[in-house]
Amino acid sequence: MRSADRSVRRLPPVGGRRIVAAMAVSELPGTFGHRHLLGIEGLQPFEIQHLLDRADSYVEIGRQADKKLAILRGRTQINLFFESSTRTRTSFELAGKRLSADVVNMSVGSSSIKKGETLIDTAMTLNAMHPDVLVARHQDSGAVALLARHVNCAVINAGDGSHEHPTQALLDALTIRRRKGRIEGLTIAICGDVMHSRVARSNILLLTAMGARVRLVAPRTLLPAAVERYGVEVHHEMKSGLKDADIVMMLRLQTERMQGSFVPSVREYFHLFGLTYAKLEAARPDALIMHPGPMNRGVEIAGDVADDINRSAILDQVELGVAVRMACLETLTRELRAAA
Amino acid sequence: MRRRAIIGVRLLDPGSGLDAPGGVVIEDERIADFGPHLHAARLEDADVVDGRGACLAPGLVDIRVQLGEPGAEHKETYASGTAAAAAGGVTSFACLPNTAPPIDDPAMVEFVARRARQLKRAKVYPYGAITRGCAGRDLAELALLREAGAVGFTDGDRALADSLVMRRAMAYASVIDGPIIQHPEDPALAEGGVMNEGEVATRLGLAGIPAQAEVIMIERDLRLVELTGCRYHVARISTGAAVEAVRRAKASGLPVTAEAAPHHFALNELEVEGYRTFAKTSPPLRTEDDRRAVVAGLADGTIDVIASDHCPQDQDSKRLPFAQAEFGVVGLETLLPISLQLVHDGVMSLLAVLDRLTCTPADLLGLEAGRLRKGAPADLILFDPEAPWKIREEDLRSLSKNTPFDGRLVQGKVLCTLVDGRTIYDDGRLAPADQAR
């Protein structure tokens, strides 16, 4: 008997207050098999499935009056954000608190970098405080993986440079699954600034792994090199890109990561790639609109489309984000708790 | 007069094509005689050493080495750099001018020459900067630098991007007869890039440097070579397109030469996987197709020279997120074994590889080195081309340990290094600086 199996059984009812809907959750053959969650790359479809099932079971808890589970009681979670973030940090904080972890936020900005401390020094300093989970975001690709090599706890990548943002992809997948009942076979158009987007990379990996048909729709200046090798269709205009799409996933134009001019003007970008009802005509009538936020209204998406409660799943994404992060926190600390 | 002899060796002289058993006699600092006729019976008056079948070749001539002195002595000093050279079989090397302060003034050239003389290890030849401060705008005093001993002109790790400045530098240098050496990379296209552009960079979320940045700079420079007739050398070529551009230019008779670094013919961009900053080089490690093209270029002579592109970086410059880490790898001590891989792979003959490492680079910079010749300085190495060993960073003599070859199993080991007839490295032991026998 592997330790994780025991911990899975230990999970449910806490304090006898209510039932955690863990019955239908897919079981893993053994442990989760990953110490950290640094990206979607390296996750098997059944592992993604498991995380999504877990997250699904936490959705209801967030809707109850009493939102607290005791799963991470006594555990310390440090949120280390080198890059400003409101929603992701809040989401991770809420997820940790709903699982009863002691959550500490460190918004480093660039202040300690200015003081000359290197990332590895920061990692070792935090490690000496014995956290159980470290949630980290950094402006450089690979920085969270570097951090993970110098700490003894589980690390969750909350976004590293233009590399990956795995919990965003998981929450997007959960949103799609709950609204459409499946991921496999859907046509999903990811539109906009793919080049600078870690959300796009994680989503491409996850959605193609789960059997969706993924299209990228972007001006050529905002597509990374050789992206067609990732098993996606590439389009350079919205009409063909959105044709018969089940999901339209808009990306934020990330001007803060851009060196020089990638598009001539915001006006022209909106004209060509901004999501409007007119462009949405090409998609399926029940096509769902998603956006990882924060939105630039009038840049990549028209305000009225974003606010359309029948079409837009943007607020669902935010809600499910907490559940997904609870699932990730719980899964990665499972062996730790089993050992305790 | 002191006479020494090394007998029982396989003499290798790529310049003359000699590959025969024999010996060599050294009188004072120079080669007095060499050849198959030399054996113990005829050398009773000399100090005779039996080479036991090892290969004896001219010492290696490495035309691209970055030292940290002055300005970054924590990365590499003349003492540590020449120690690494001795262990790597390098008896002469040219060092880049992008130090702090840069070698853009005749006094700095003399500083380098004096530091190297004091150490009495490898001979160090400085390059002069093309432009003041290697900044790419105003010409440095090329003629005065040349008179002071600069062997060529380069702005080091910076491309000279301004076409007008390059045209004038070439026109001016063509009369002084110092080659212009370019770091071939269009800085605008490469801006912000940290690795080769392509599938791997896309997956890792790292900004790419397209292969075109290299060939564009070379193609432009070749037009200016046509215009000025200047001798032009392409430093560490990394892409197939650039190799082809040089091949065509040579066919049309332009005075162009090119060099490749071991990491560009032994490694490809996959080394960067896992954000390994020790594989962050400038130019970046390229695709497997590019790597093969560099090997083919070396084999057919399009690429004239193998240089280590030794670029020491301390831990604090490398233990960083990939984008923040410095470029560069150390290479003096791994130059020979990695190059010999080309022989073991059957791509090139032993003499051809030695040609790229000795006489051709020496001739390029006009150095009295790189050949077995009576009267030439006795800068020699003894090596075993087959001896297997494992490269370990902790064994490196360089102050910085940033090798991408750590843990690699290689064949080919330097046994002994002589500079001006003095043994400066013998069987893993380094002669103390300035006290070499």
Side-chain angles (χ1 to χ4, degrees):
Chain A
M1 176 70 74
R2 311 269 284 271
S3 60
D5 296 311
R6 288 201 309 272
S7 70
V8 169
R9 282 209 309 274
R10 271 190 203 176
L11 270 180
V14 182
R17 285 176 299 182
R18 63 191 167 261
I19 294 165
V20 178
M23 289 301 102
V25 170
S26 58
E27 295 295 329
L28 287 174
T31 63
F32 180 57
H34 301 273
R35 187 180 182 203
H36 309 298
L37 181 65
L38 299 177
I40 298 298
E41 188 182 5
L43 291 187
Q44 300 291 328
F46 72 88
E47 292 167 333
I48 294 168
Q49 193 84 41
H50 176 78
L51 286 170
L52 296 179
D53 291 349
R54 265 291 163 214
D56 229 350
S57 74
Y58 289 126
V59 175
E60 279 309 312
I61 288 164
R63 293 174 180 170
Q64 292 171 188
D66 183 348
K67 302 178 174 62
K68 205 104 169 159
L69 297 179
I71 293 172
L72 291 186
R73 192 166 50 203
R75 303 295 169 190
T76 306
Q77 171 189 341
I78 298 181
N79 295 336
L80 178 62
F81 279 65
F82 289 89
E83 210 180 48
S84 64
S85 158
T86 311
R87 68 185 63 213
T88 305
R89 208 210 62 213
T90 310
S91 183
F92 269 110
E93 185 175 354
L94 269 180
K97 285 183 170 167
R98 287 184 182 169
L99 295 171
S100 302
D102 294 318
V103 184
V104 182
N105 287 313
M106 286 189 59
S107 291
V108 185
S110 51
S111 62
S112 85
I113 301 281
K114 277 181 198 148
K115 287 180 203 155
E117 187 173 70
T118 68
L119 183 64
I120 291 174
D121 287 338
T122 307
M124 298 204 297
T125 304
L126 290 178
N127 192 49
M129 298 178 191
H130 302 294
D132 299 293
V133 188
L134 192 62
V135 176
R137 167 173 287 192
H138 197 280
Q139 60 277 8
D140 285 321
S141 302
V144 178
L146 180 65
L147 203 68
R149 284 205 290 276
H150 293 89
V151 295
N152 296 322
C153 65
V155 175
I156 298 179
N157 180 4
D160 63 325
S162 305
H163 178 223
E164 283 228 47
H165 190 355
T167 57
Q168 178 72 41
L170 286 164
L171 74 88
D172 288 341
L174 186 61
T175 307
I176 295 168
R177 206 176 74 168
R178 285 174 70 98
R179 293 285 282 254
K180 296 288 180 192
R182 65 192 166 106
I183 296 171
E184 193 175 355
L186 295 180
T187 299
I188 300 173
I190 301 176
C191 314
D193 185 359
V194 177
M195 176 177 266
H196 300 96
S197 177
R198 53 199 175 207
V199 175
R201 281 177 181 71
S202 287
N203 264 314
I204 291 168
L205 293 169
L206 189 153
L207 296 170
T208 52
M210 301 306 280
R213 283 194 297 273
V214 176
R215 291 186 192 149
L216 303 180
V217 192
R220 290 195 64 174
T221 49
L222 290 176
L223 281 170
V227 76
E228 65 283 351
R229 294 205 203 162
Y230 289 79
V232 295
E233 268 177 53
V234 178
H235 294 259
H236 303 299
E237 49 104 16
M238 292 288 268
K239 194 167 182 181
S240 71
L242 296 197
K243 189 168 188 311
D244 298 327
D246 297 287
I247 308 286
V248 180
M249 199 179 273
M250 302 306 296
L251 298 172
R252 190 168 61 86
L253 201 59
Q254 297 197 41
T255 44
E256 74 277 10
R257 290 189 207 285
M258 294 185 182
Q259 292 184 338
S261 166
F262 285 77
V263 289
S265 72
V266 165
R267 184 172 75 162
E268 181 165 308
Y269 183 75
F270 184 74
H271 173 69
L272 294 174
F273 294 95
L275 187 65
T276 57
Y277 279 116
K279 294 198 187 88
L280 203 52
E281 289 282 295
R284 287 172 58 92
D286 61 347
L288 203 60
I289 297 156
M290 300 174 67
H291 193 298
M295 281 185 283
N296 297 310
R297 288 166 187 267
V299 178
E300 68 263 352
I301 189 164
D304 54 352
V305 178
D307 294 335
D308 185 339
I309 52 167
N310 295 318
R311 307 295 297 269
S312 163
I314 294 169
L315 295 177
D316 287 23
Q317 290 173 273
V318 178
E319 183 193 1
L320 298 180
V322 180
V324 158
R325 284 159 186 140
M326 286 170 78
C328 294
L329 289 166
E330 180 266 304
T331 305
L332 288 176
T333 55
R334 201 176 280 168
E335 284 170 69
L336 188 77
R337 285 179 284 112
Chain B
M1 193 190 328
R2 189 161 161 243
R3 261 165 75 88
R4 292 177 66 195
I6 305 169
I7 55 156
V9 292
R10 177 179 171 192
L11 294 168
L12 289 163
D13 181 38
S16 64
L18 172 71
D19 180 354
V24 60
V25 177
I26 301 160
E27 278 180 15
D28 292 332
E29 299 182 351
R30 293 181 179 268
I31 297 171
D33 196 7
F34 68 97
H37 60 284
L38 293 172
H39 43 82
R42 303 176 60 167
L43 293 162
E44 284 160 354
D45 57 333
D47 231 352
V48 180
V49 176
D50 186 352
R52 290 187 215 160
C55 292
L56 186 140
L60 308 186
V61 179
D62 186 348
I63 65 166
R64 192 175 180 91
V65 172
Q66 174 85 62
L67 294 178
E69 191 176 340
E73 286 83 353
H74 59 294
K75 293 183 177 176
E76 196 85 284
T77 60
Y78 280 96
S80 66
T82 52
V90 174
T91 54
S92 301
F93 65 81
C95 64
L96 295 175
N98 50 311
T99 45
I103 308 176
D104 62 354
D105 184 280
M108 282 299 297
V109 175
E110 277 154 23
F111 165 81
V112 172
R114 184 167 57 82
R115 290 291 290 128
R117 264 201 315 275
Q118 287 167 346
L119 289 163
K120 292 190 172 177
R121 285 191 186 132
K123 297 169 181 172
V124 183
Y125 299 94
Y127 287 120
I130 305 175
T131 61
R132 282 177 201 277
C134 301
R137 280 194 311 278
D138 307 312
L139 287 186
E141 295 165 319
L142 302 186
L144 291 179
L145 287 166
R146 183 80 173 132
E147 278 178 30
V151 290
F153 304 105
T154 176
D155 277 351
D157 57 357
R158 279 194 219 164
L160 181 47
D162 187 307
S163 307
L164 179 62
V165 177
M166 184 53 118
R167 178 190 175 174
R168 286 184 182 146
M170 282 187 180
Y172 203 86
S174 63
V175 183
I176 311 167
D177 195 36
I180 292 277
I181 295 151
Q182 173 75 301
H183 166 52
E185 186 172 87
D186 180 338
L189 264 182
E191 168 103 46
V194 295
M195 71 168 293
N196 185 44
E197 181 176 292
E199 184 188 347
V200 181
T202 294
R203 179 155 42 82
L204 295 175
L206 293 172
I209 300 172
Q212 287 73 14
E214 181 167 289
V215 70
I216 284 173
M217 189 52 92
I218 293 172
E219 297 269 21
R220 180 207 69 174
D221 286 348
L222 290 173
R223 301 290 164 168
L224 297 175
V225 171
E226 273 173 5
L227 189 66
T228 60
C230 181
R231 279 169 60 207
Y232 173 72
H233 178 73
V234 183
R236 66 262 208 275
I237 204 162
S238 70
T239 64
V243 172
E244 187 49 39
V246 170
R247 190 175 283 130
R248 280 201 309 269
K250 284 188 162 186
S252 68
L254 289 178
V256 54
T257 50
E259 109 210 353
H263 42 276
H264 287 126
F265 62 75
L267 303 174
N268 66 27
E269 60 181 348
L270 292 172
E271 293 293 318
V272 177
E273 292 277 358
Y275 300 97
R276 288 187 63 216
T277 56
F278 279 16
K280 181 173 176 178
T281 66
S282 173
L285 301 179
R286 301 287 188 180
T287 66
E288 177 62 9
D289 285 346
D290 288 317
R291 188 193 71 79
R292 285 165 188 264
V294 171
V295 170
L298 276 166
D300 73 10
T302 301
I303 301 173
D304 309 81
V305 172
I306 299 173
S308 71
D309 196 22
H310 183 81
C311 181
Q313 298 291 357
D314 62 334
Q315 289 274 318
D316 291 345
S317 309
K318 283 289 192 183
R319 290 179 71 198
L320 292 168
F322 196 87
Q324 292 176 29
E326 297 279 355
F327 291 97
V329 300
V330 288
L332 278 167
E333 291 163 81
T334 51
L335 177 62
L336 183 68
I338 302 295
S339 299
L340 287 177
Q341 181 119 38
L342 297 165
V343 180
H344 298 304
D345 289 349
V347 181
M348 291 172 74
S349 70
L350 183 54
L351 277 178
V353 167
L354 288 174
D355 170 271
R356 311 291 187 271
L357 287 165
T358 57
C359 55
T360 304
D363 293 352
L364 181 72
L365 299 183
L367 310 180
E368 194 188 13
R371 290 170 193 279
L372 295 184
R373 194 165 46 74
K374 286 182 194 176
D379 298 345
L380 304 169
I381 54 168
L382 275 169
F383 70 101
D384 178 346
E386 309 292 337
W389 61 291
K390 184 175 183 175
I391 296 172
R392 297 189 308 176
E393 59 177 37
E394 62 265 32
D395 295 341
L396 297 180
R397 284 174 170 76
S398 194
L399 266 187
S400 297
K401 314 294 183 192
N402 52 308
T403 175
F405 297 113
D406 182 39
R408 189 175 174 110
L409 299 169
V410 289
Q411 268 183 288
K413 197 172 176 109
V414 176
L415 304 173
C416 186
T417 308
L418 289 85
V419 170
D420 286 338
R422 284 172 290 109
T423 303
I424 58 167
Y425 176 83
D426 188 9
D427 193 22
R429 284 188 312 278
L430 199 65
D434 70 21
Q435 292 173 32
R437 278 185 289 129

